[in-house]
Amino acid sequence: MREFSGNVVSNGAVFGKIAVFGGDEYVPEEKEVEDTDKELARLNAALDEAKSELEGLYEEAIDKVGEENALIFDIHKMMLEDLDYTENIQNLINEDRLCAEYAVFETGKVFSKTFADMDDDYMKARSVDVLDISNRVIRKLTGKAEATLEGDEAVIILAEDLTPGETINMDKSKVLAFVTRKGSSSSHTAILARSLGIPALVKVDFGSVALTELEGREAAVDAVNGKLYIEPDFKAKEAIDKLIKELNLENVLLSELKGKENVTRDGRKIEIFANIGSENDVDRVIENDAGGIGLFRSEFLYLGRSEAPSEEEQFASYKEVVERLDGKKVIIRTLDIGADKKASYLGLSEEDNPALGYRAIRICLNKKDLFKTQLRAIFRASALGNVGIMFPMITSVEEVKRIKIIVDEVKEELIAQGVTIGNPELGIMIETPAAALISDELAKEVDFFSVGTNDLTQYTLAIDRQNENLAEFYNPHHKAILMLIKMACDNAHKNGIWVGICGELAGDTALTRTFVDMGIDELSVSPTKVLSLRKAVRNI
């Protein structure tokens, strides 16, 4: 038996045979060309084909993993349209007279290295994306087919690394687990593996072992403790078998909680809602028996396109979600764009520190027409069900008062036009220390608070949560963060409003008792965490 260790990015445990996926990197031949115009035409045709293919992958991914995760392929399409990237390829063709495929290969190498050399681990992971889009264009130029999974037997996929396109194209019924030598928890492939529910290990230390040596071998993946066993012995098989039974039993027990209340043993009821990115995620909300939607991230309607969504387009999306929830609460967060989520049509400039920059409510208050269009769509949808509106990145009472003036203008305009509207609750996100510290004043202006713990943590600790170099210092359980949440909770109840949590900490069952003790009224998590959180609440 041989044992290898790696990093878990998607939980699970399986037995199966190894299938090595991919192989040596394809390096096109370096050739000079006489007719550069013809070569540029070939390049442009390949770029168009690659973009079209990515659009198809985006649609396929929406069905498999939801719109938020499908945006990976929109990001790839935007990368293909990046002027620095395309102009570098064109210059190599025009000035060095290189053939298109080699010009793409060289550009991909340079840009990938730029990302790989960055200090931030999230940005390092983008180096794989650059190689992925470059290889996609090269395949279009050369007619070389993308690697596919052969055979009918379900296998453990072993690879140097996997691209998002390769991951989403695989038949899930034939994949037992993903194991890669490279990769990171921030990679798009890791995100997709989690969304697809496939056990996955990355950064597995194979030492000098060539992956091809392991082709066809019996193996066991322990994607709980981060182990890969090749030809496992009796003891390892026994341990993995026990782990599989425990995981299966846990899933059965969680399934039995559907339809039951989120009530502690001493009778305290907690609302458990779900976070979504689009109407395509509603199936998961219903399947996992969430009590409502505590965070509808509306910004995904704005990304991956050349212009802002119209009022009708937004209304159609909100309407579908509200009607499908059939009376359950749907809280729609207004546009939270900027920072790591950008839309070219907004003309946002590059910023040295985008997390602290021009984003979210700051953009909405400055681009009033954009804001009012969204509010009109939400108010129209509010006539069809139980809707709340939530405003992100609040730091002052003055901001809330400006928002309420615009809200009143929108309501008056709609009523004057004879449009039926509802009476949605208005809430704000507590995701800055400033908002938590003045929560007593803010609570007098709104109907509810929702604590965004992801940003609250990074702003309180002054730590970039995506920088894995700071992992040892990043402590979301830090006393200061819990004190700020408790302060916001106390001030909300003091002023007669309810308070929820919609950041990642909401699903951290190590803190569920703490939040119940604080008096938190609602916890909103990814749909797949609803039942495990219900179990935690019912055990208190």
Side-chain angles (χ1 to χ4, degrees):
M1 180 183 81
R2 283 190 279 184
E3 177 183 328
F4 303 100
S5 298
N7 296 344
V8 176
V9 294
S10 182
N11 282 0
V14 294
F15 289 108
K17 283 187 178 179
I18 293 285
V20 177
F21 189 84
D24 296 333
E25 179 189 18
Y26 172 69
V27 179
E29 185 182 349
E30 182 179 357
K31 292 189 294 188
E32 283 194 17
V33 294
E34 293 295 324
D35 190 343
T36 56
D37 288 340
K38 181 180 177 182
E39 212 59 21
L40 289 171
R42 285 184 66 227
L43 171 67
N44 290 332
L47 287 170
D48 287 342
E49 283 184 50
K51 288 174 199 172
S52 178
E53 189 170 76
L54 287 167
E55 286 168 3
L57 284 170
Y58 171 73
E59 295 299 328
E60 184 181 347
I62 284 177
D63 292 335
K64 290 184 177 180
V65 294
E67 187 153 358
E68 184 176 352
N69 293 310
L71 279 169
I72 292 165
F73 300 105
D74 252 351
I75 291 166
H76 279 203
K77 184 166 170 269
M78 285 188 278
M79 290 172 112
L80 275 180
E81 294 167 345
D82 181 78
L83 286 178
D84 287 337
Y85 177 79
T86 55
E87 285 177 0
N88 196 83
I89 299 170
Q90 290 163 357
N91 289 340
L92 288 173
I93 294 172
N94 279 324
E95 296 170 15
D96 296 351
R97 310 189 77 83
L98 289 174
C99 64
E101 45 265 62
Y102 197 77
V104 173
F105 173 75
E106 281 295 303
T107 299
K109 228 171 33 171
V110 170
F111 277 65
S112 177
K113 186 175 187 305
T114 300
F115 278 110
D117 289 344
M118 290 182 180
D119 291 332
D120 183 88
D121 280 292
Y122 178 83
M123 299 308 289
K124 278 180 186 288
R126 303 290 71 76
S127 66
V128 177
D129 295 319
V130 176
L131 291 177
D132 191 12
I133 64 167
S134 299
N135 288 335
R136 189 173 299 282
V137 176
I138 291 169
R139 284 197 298 273
K140 298 304 166 192
L141 287 162
T142 60
K144 188 177 172 66
E146 188 168 15
T148 56
L149 190 57
E150 303 293 336
D152 297 322
E153 184 183 3
V155 291
I156 295 167
I157 301 294
L158 194 59
E160 287 293 324
D161 208 348
L162 289 165
T163 68
E166 289 169 341
T167 309
I168 208 70
N169 272 334
M170 287 183 190
D171 181 345
K172 186 182 173 184
S173 67
K174 295 180 183 178
V175 179
L176 297 172
F178 292 127
V179 179
T180 63
R181 191 194 294 267
K182 300 176 184 175
S184 75
S185 60
S186 302
S187 72
H188 287 321
T189 300
I191 294 166
L192 287 174
R194 287 192 287 270
S195 300
L196 291 166
I198 295 173
L201 299 177
V202 300
K203 285 191 176 175
V204 177
D205 183 8
F206 288 104
S208 59
V209 176
L211 299 190
T212 50
E213 288 180 32
L214 307 177
E215 176 73 44
R217 302 288 181 88
E218 295 291 336
V221 175
D222 175 355
V224 173
N225 302 299
K227 299 291 183 183
L228 169 68
Y229 301 100
I230 304 298
E231 295 173 339
D233 59 19
F234 177 78
K235 187 176 177 182
K237 283 181 179 178
E238 195 174 45
I240 297 292
D241 192 51
K242 182 182 176 185
L243 181 58
I244 291 171
K245 287 176 181 174
E246 287 172 356
L247 292 171
N248 288 339
L249 178 60
E250 176 70 7
N251 289 333
V252 170
L253 293 175
L254 289 178
S255 183
E256 290 174 356
L257 290 177
K258 289 180 182 179
K260 296 188 178 178
E261 288 193 305
N262 314 305
V263 180
T264 64
R265 291 180 179 178
D266 58 348
R268 172 81 197 283
K269 183 170 182 181
I270 309 294
E271 296 287 358
I272 299 181
F273 288 179
N275 301 333
I276 68 168
S278 80
E279 65 271 24
N280 297 294
D281 297 328
V282 173
D283 285 340
R284 291 178 179 81
V285 175
I286 295 169
E287 180 186 336
N288 288 282
D289 196 34
I293 292 170
L295 171 61
F296 184 163
R297 300 182 182 93
S298 67
E299 58 270 19
F300 294 108
L301 290 167
Y302 291 76
L303 297 172
R305 51 190 302 148
S306 58
E307 60 183 10
S310 67
E311 178 183 329
E312 290 305 320
E313 190 177 347
Q314 293 187 65
F315 171 66
S317 179
Y318 305 145
K319 175 178 181 286
E320 181 178 340
V321 174
V322 171
E323 288 183 337
R324 291 196 64 196
L325 265 288
D326 194 23
K328 292 181 178 179
K329 186 169 289 183
V330 177
I331 297 174
I332 301 169
R333 181 174 70 186
T334 58
L335 180 60
D336 185 2
I337 214 163
D340 58 336
K341 301 187 288 283
K342 295 180 181 177
S344 58
Y345 56 83
L346 291 178
L348 304 180
S349 58
E350 291 294 322
E351 296 180 307
D352 290 337
N353 197 340
L356 302 180
Y358 188 44
R359 58 173 292 200
I361 202 64
R362 299 164 185 175
I363 292 175
C364 290
L365 290 174
N366 279 345
K367 295 183 180 291
K368 193 173 170 183
D369 288 344
L370 183 81
F371 193 28
K372 289 179 76 170
T373 297
Q374 179 171 35
L375 290 173
R376 283 178 62 90
I378 297 174
F379 268 96
R380 287 170 60 192
S382 73
L384 306 170
N386 186 358
V387 173
I389 308 176
M390 182 162 69
F391 305 101
M393 282 299 293
I394 299 299
T395 60
S396 71
V397 172
E398 289 71 28
E399 287 169 343
V400 178
K401 288 183 174 178
R402 286 177 65 189
I403 290 166
K404 289 169 76 175
I405 289 170
I406 296 171
V407 165
D408 287 341
E409 288 175 8
V410 168
K411 288 166 67 176
E412 288 169 11
E413 289 169 7
L414 288 168
I415 291 169
Q417 292 166 5
V419 178
T420 304
I421 63 172
N423 185 31
E425 287 185 313
L426 300 182
I428 61 169
M429 292 193 71
I430 303 293
E431 52 190 337
T432 65
L437 291 168
I438 61 166
S439 53
D440 188 23
E441 297 173 51
L442 290 169
K444 295 174 173 62
E445 302 291 333
V446 295
D447 301 309
F448 68 91
F449 288 159
S450 187
V451 183
T453 55
N454 300 355
D455 275 332
L456 183 62
T457 301
Q458 75 169 349
Y459 292 144
T460 303
L461 301 182
I463 287 177
D464 177 359
R465 59 192 169 93
Q466 291 176 329
N467 187 338
E468 293 186 6
N469 293 326
L470 299 175
E472 65 178 298
F473 304 105
Y474 185 79
N475 176 18
H477 292 203
H478 194 290
K479 184 178 179 180
I481 296 158
L482 298 178
M483 287 175 68
L484 289 172
I485 296 172
K486 179 70 162 63
M487 181 185 294
C489 185
D490 289 346
N491 285 327
H493 292 157
K494 174 183 166 184
N495 289 279
I497 69 171
W498 64 270
V499 58
I501 298 176
C502 64
E504 285 184 25
L505 282 191
D508 185 341
T509 52
L511 286 175
T512 305
R513 177 183 291 275
T514 301
F515 293 146
V516 170
D517 288 344
M518 281 183 188
I520 294 292
D521 301 293
E522 174 251 22
L523 297 167
S524 191
V525 295
S526 65
T528 54
K529 289 185 177 180
V530 167
L531 294 174
S532 57
L533 187 55
R534 177 172 296 164
K535 176 186 174 185
V537 167
R538 289 171 65 88
N539 283 337
I540 294 173

